[in-house]
């Protein structure tokens, strides 16, 4: 069976894309590990997700069960119980991500819990750690990576109820942080309240901070921009945009009201990261071209977002008996 050049090219292109995604996932989880192990864990702050749950187990067992081991074991149990609700692709990606992140955290957590924190000020350390965690999550999420944890619970609940994934994750994460109030403590109730409430507030601040950074990172990659371009050199501009950015160009006939001259108007939808390249192409070809651009809320279709609608449950209308 002969293989065409286009098929070979597509295979190499897909291989390159897979390698790029793998590298980004590893990089993102390395950034997450640094933020958590270097800046959060040494200050005895419990955050959300499996990292936070693993921290709870670590302190409850007085360090006998490492954070990484608790994270990995819990992830595997969640996947076993929720396998029938999750697709194979999600399960395999989660196993890979959870294994990688657990290995990274497990290889360095002891070095930073056995020494004083690098940044002595708790507030600055938590802010720095949360920023790195948010950046790390954004990097590996944007390249189809996942480390499991509350993602698994949220994915399961979203299949059996109408509650949103984001709301589930927020409730679970904040609950994990709140449970740190009951960690072992040598002191009376008043001292416990003074110390634990402070660490809980730090944990909640970290959750909101890394969630915000993650959302900003992901939305920057998904933000869609609409261009409307008017130029006498529309053919060469449309050809370059199509071949250099991979974005389609739609044209339609228009007419200047004053001049009564027929022209072609171009419409382009692209991601925000493509905007500079489109500006460059247009100005290189026609310095007198008219360009407008604006953010659009979303574009659904090939090359953009997938429209997902949940089926509404049928309501029975009739007299109650």
């Amino acid at each position: 069976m002969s293989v065409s050049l286009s098929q070979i090219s597509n295979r190499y292109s897909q291989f390159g894309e897979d390698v790029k995604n793998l590298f980004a996932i590893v990089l993102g989880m390395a950034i997450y590990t640094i933020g958590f192990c270097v800046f959060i864990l040494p200050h005895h702050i419990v955050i959300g997700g499996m990292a936070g749950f693993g921290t709870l187990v670590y302190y409850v067992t007085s360090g006998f069960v490492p954070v990484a081991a608790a994270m990995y074991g819990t992830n595997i149990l969640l996947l076993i119980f929720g396998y029938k609700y999750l697709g194979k692709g999600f399960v395999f990606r989660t196993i890979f991500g959870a294994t990688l992140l657990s290995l990274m955290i497990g290889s360095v957590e002891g070095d930073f819990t056995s020494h004083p924190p690098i940044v002595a000020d708790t507030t600055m350390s938590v802010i720095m750690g949360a920023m790195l965690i948010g950046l790390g999550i954004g990097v590996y999420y944007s390249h189809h990576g996942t480390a499991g944890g509350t993602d698994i619970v949220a994915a399961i609940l979203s299949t059996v109820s109408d509650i949103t994934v984001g709301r589930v994750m927020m409730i679970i994460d904040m609950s994990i942080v709140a449970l740190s109030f009951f960690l072992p403590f040598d002191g009376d109730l008043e001292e416990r309240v003074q110390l634990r409430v402070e660490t809980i507030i730090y944990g909640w601040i970290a959750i909101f901070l890394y969630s915000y950074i993650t959302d900003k990172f992901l939305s920057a990659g998904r933000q869609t921009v609409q261009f409307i371009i008017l130029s006498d050199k529309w053919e060469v501009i449309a050809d370059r945009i199509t071949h250099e950015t991979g974005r389609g160009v739609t044209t339609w006939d228009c007419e200047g009201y004053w001049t009564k001259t027929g022209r072609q108007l171009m419409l382009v939808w692209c991601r925000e990261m493509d905007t500079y390249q489109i500006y460059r192409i247009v100005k290189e070809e026609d310095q007198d071209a008219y360009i407008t651009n604006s953010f659009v809320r979303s574009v659904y279709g090939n090359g953009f977002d997938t429209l997902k609608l949940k089926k509404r449950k049928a309501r029975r209308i009739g007299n109650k008996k």
Side-chain angles (χ1 to χ4, degrees), residues 26 33 53 191 234 245 270 273 312:
V26 173
T33 300
F53 182 77
E191 293 174 329
W234 64 273
T245 70
C270 67
M273 65 185 69
R312 292 181 176 273

Side-chain angles (χ1 to χ4, degrees), residues 86 90 141 146 148-173 211 215 308 310:
L86 308 170
F90 180 86
Y141 260 40
T146 176
T150 50
D151 294 1
I152 301 174
V153 180
I156 294 172
L157 290 180
S158 67
T159 63
V160 298
S161 69
D162 292 331
I163 189 170
T164 64
V165 172
R167 184 175 299 177
V168 172
M169 293 179 67
M170 183 62 70
I171 292 173
I172 296 174
D173 286 349
S211 298
D215 287 342
K308 298 178 180 179
K310 288 187 175 181

Side-chain angles (χ1 to χ4, degrees), residues 49-101:
M50 281 301 99
F53 182 77
T55 305
L56 286 176
V57 175
Y58 176 81
Y59 289 125
V60 166
T61 60
S62 300
F64 179 76
V65 179
V67 176
M71 287 174 58
Y72 192 68
T74 307
N75 271 320
I76 296 301
L77 288 175
L78 288 174
L79 285 174
I80 292 173
F81 287 120
Y83 181 80
K84 67 178 182 178
Y85 300 104
L86 308 170
K88 289 183 179 180
F90 180 86
V91 171
F92 290 140
R93 285 189 294 112
T94 301
I95 291 175
F96 170 76
T99 302
L100 180 62
L101 185 60

Side-chain angles (χ1 to χ4, degrees), residues 48-239:
M50 281 301 99
F53 182 77
T55 305
L56 286 176
V57 175
Y58 176 81
Y59 289 125
V60 166
T61 60
S62 300
F64 179 76
V65 179
V67 176
M71 287 174 58
Y72 192 68
T74 307
N75 271 320
I76 296 301
L77 288 175
L78 288 174
L79 285 174
I80 292 173
F81 287 120
Y83 181 80
K84 67 178 182 178
Y85 300 104
L86 308 170
K88 289 183 179 180
F90 180 86
V91 171
F92 290 140
R93 285 189 294 112
T94 301
I95 291 175
F96 170 76
T99 302
L100 180 62
L101 185 60
S102 295
L103 287 174
M104 286 185 175
I105 291 177
S107 63
V108 299
E109 64 174 289
D111 297 331
F112 295 100
T113 53
S114 58
H115 296 86
I118 293 177
V119 179
D121 184 78
T122 304
T123 302
M124 295 301 297
S125 191
V126 168
I127 291 174
M128 186 63 194
M131 290 173 62
L132 289 174
I133 289 173
L135 177 61
I137 295 173
V139 170
Y140 69 71
Y141 260 40
S142 62
H143 290 82
H144 314 294
T146 176
T150 50
D151 294 1
I152 301 174
V153 180
I156 294 172
L157 290 180
S158 67
T159 63
V160 298
S161 69
D162 292 331
I163 189 170
T164 64
V165 172
R167 184 175 299 177
V168 172
M169 293 179 67
M170 183 62 70
I171 292 173
I172 296 174
D173 286 349
M174 295 189 71
S175 299
I176 289 174
V177 174
L179 287 174
S180 65
F181 180 84
F182 301 102
L183 288 174
F185 179 78
D186 295 329
D188 58 24
L189 180 60
E190 183 178 352
E191 293 174 329
R192 174 187 288 271
V193 170
Q194 289 178 345
L195 179 64
R196 293 302 184 208
V197 169
E198 182 178 336
T199 59
I200 288 172
I201 292 173
Y202 274 124
W204 284 344
I205 290 173
I207 290 174
F208 283 109
L209 186 55
Y210 68 65
S211 298
Y212 176 80
I213 293 175
T214 300
D215 287 342
K216 285 296 182 182
F217 187 94
L218 294 176
S219 63
R222 291 199 301 259
Q223 179 63 62
T224 305
V225 177
Q226 176 176 282
F227 276 92
I228 296 179
I229 306 167
L230 182 64
S231 170
D232 291 331
K233 300 180 180 179
W234 64 273
E235 287 184 285
V236 65
I237 291 174
D239 185 72

